[in-house]
Amino acid sequence: MQINAFYNREGIGDVLMVLLREGDRHHQVVERKDDVAIVKSTTGKVNGYNVFNASNYFDVSDWHGPVELTAELIETLGVILRKQNIEAELSGVDFTPKFVVGYVKEAEKHPDADKLSICQVETDQGMVQIVCGAPNVAACQKVVVAKPGAVMPSGLIIRPSKLRGESSHGMICSARELNLPDAPQEKGILVLDDEYEVGKAFEIGR
């Protein structure tokens, strides 16, 4: 289960925003129960929750933007929701790191797009297919993979998608996309040194 959480005290106040699925912001309804707002689509499907006065329930001292999900955070969130008689299915949450070192095993040109490559990439969760538009992507590279559910420094949430008919499960990242210091401005993915271990978490800038 993919869940994303965000906290920006300076921007929106002491509110933990929990996103279960992306919905049209102009076609949502909000139901408030004490410190919890339930955000629903107009069809009644729950898109997420806003927990107000979040610092009363969580240690928010290190929260600035995207919040790392932990079993403790999900358990506390479940307790808060149950106290308001809100039924929520929060099991099966993926706690694995969202930015990891990957290895490009194969890279072939997309049959319907000259600037795209279809890559088979080894990650901490096995082999995945990623469609990449970088001009320098090639087989036998160690790279940084943003997995589905990752939140980029720009705020973009990575989701499984299809590009020109080919499925893509993640993104191979450039240094600039990762907000790394002294990132080059020209197009191209970040190619890592051999010392990096495939499947290990990669720390990014925010």
Side-chain angles (χ1 to χ4, degrees), residues 103-124:
Y103 179 76
V104 182
K105 189 163 185 177
E106 298 176 13
E108 298 180 350
K109 288 299 181 183
H110 194 295
D112 295 323
D114 293 339
K115 294 184 178 180
L116 296 179
S117 297
I118 303 172
C119 304
Q120 307 303 321
V121 186
E122 183 182 350
T123 70
D124 61 326

Side-chain angles (χ1 to χ4, degrees), residues 21-162:
R21 59 182 57 84
E22 293 183 271
D24 186 343
R25 295 183 180 179
H26 300 291
H27 296 87
Q28 294 188 142
V29 293
V30 178
E31 177 184 350
R32 182 75 180 259
K33 292 188 176 183
D34 195 19
D35 277 343
V36 179
I38 311 168
V39 183
K40 299 180 180 180
S41 68
T42 52
T43 61
K45 185 175 291 186
V46 176
N47 292 335
Y49 307 98
N50 293 337
V51 179
F52 295 88
N53 300 309
S55 58
N56 291 341
Y57 307 99
F58 306 94
D59 179 2
V60 304
S61 56
D62 294 328
W63 288 1
H64 306 284
V67 176
E68 180 182 358
L69 293 180
T70 64
E72 181 182 6
L73 185 151
I74 293 298
E75 182 180 356
T76 302
L77 177 62
V79 170
I80 296 169
L81 297 178
R82 286 193 294 273
K83 282 184 177 179
Q84 301 302 324
N85 294 316
I86 299 171
E87 294 185 8
E89 181 57 55
L90 299 175
S91 61
V93 178
D94 180 10
F95 296 114
T96 61
K98 295 299 181 287
F99 294 89
V100 299
V101 177
Y103 179 76
V104 182
K105 189 163 185 177
E106 298 176 13
E108 298 180 350
K109 288 299 181 183
H110 194 295
D112 295 323
D114 293 339
K115 294 184 178 180
L116 296 179
S117 297
I118 303 172
C119 304
Q120 307 303 321
V121 186
E122 183 182 350
T123 70
D124 61 326
Q125 295 180 311
M127 200 71 66
V128 297
Q129 178 168 292
I130 299 176
V131 179
C132 179
N136 64 326
V137 67
C140 303
Q141 292 174 333
K142 287 186 178 180
V143 297
V144 180
V145 174
K147 294 159 50 179
V151 181
M152 303 300 294
S154 65
L156 173 70
I157 300 176
I158 303 301
R159 302 291 190 196
S161 62
K162 276 195 172 183

Side-chain angles (χ1 to χ4, degrees), residues 139-190:
C140 303
Q141 292 174 333
K142 287 186 178 180
V143 297
V144 180
V145 174
K147 294 159 50 179
V151 181
M152 303 300 294
S154 65
L156 173 70
I157 300 176
I158 303 301
R159 302 291 190 196
S161 62
K162 276 195 172 183
L163 296 173
R164 293 291 186 92
E166 294 290 339
S167 61
S168 186
H169 299 274
M171 184 172 79
I172 302 175
C173 304
S174 69
R176 184 172 59 176
E177 289 167 332
L178 296 170
N179 200 28
L180 299 181
D182 302 318
Q185 295 304 301
E186 61 268 19
K187 291 183 178 180
I189 58 167
L190 174 64

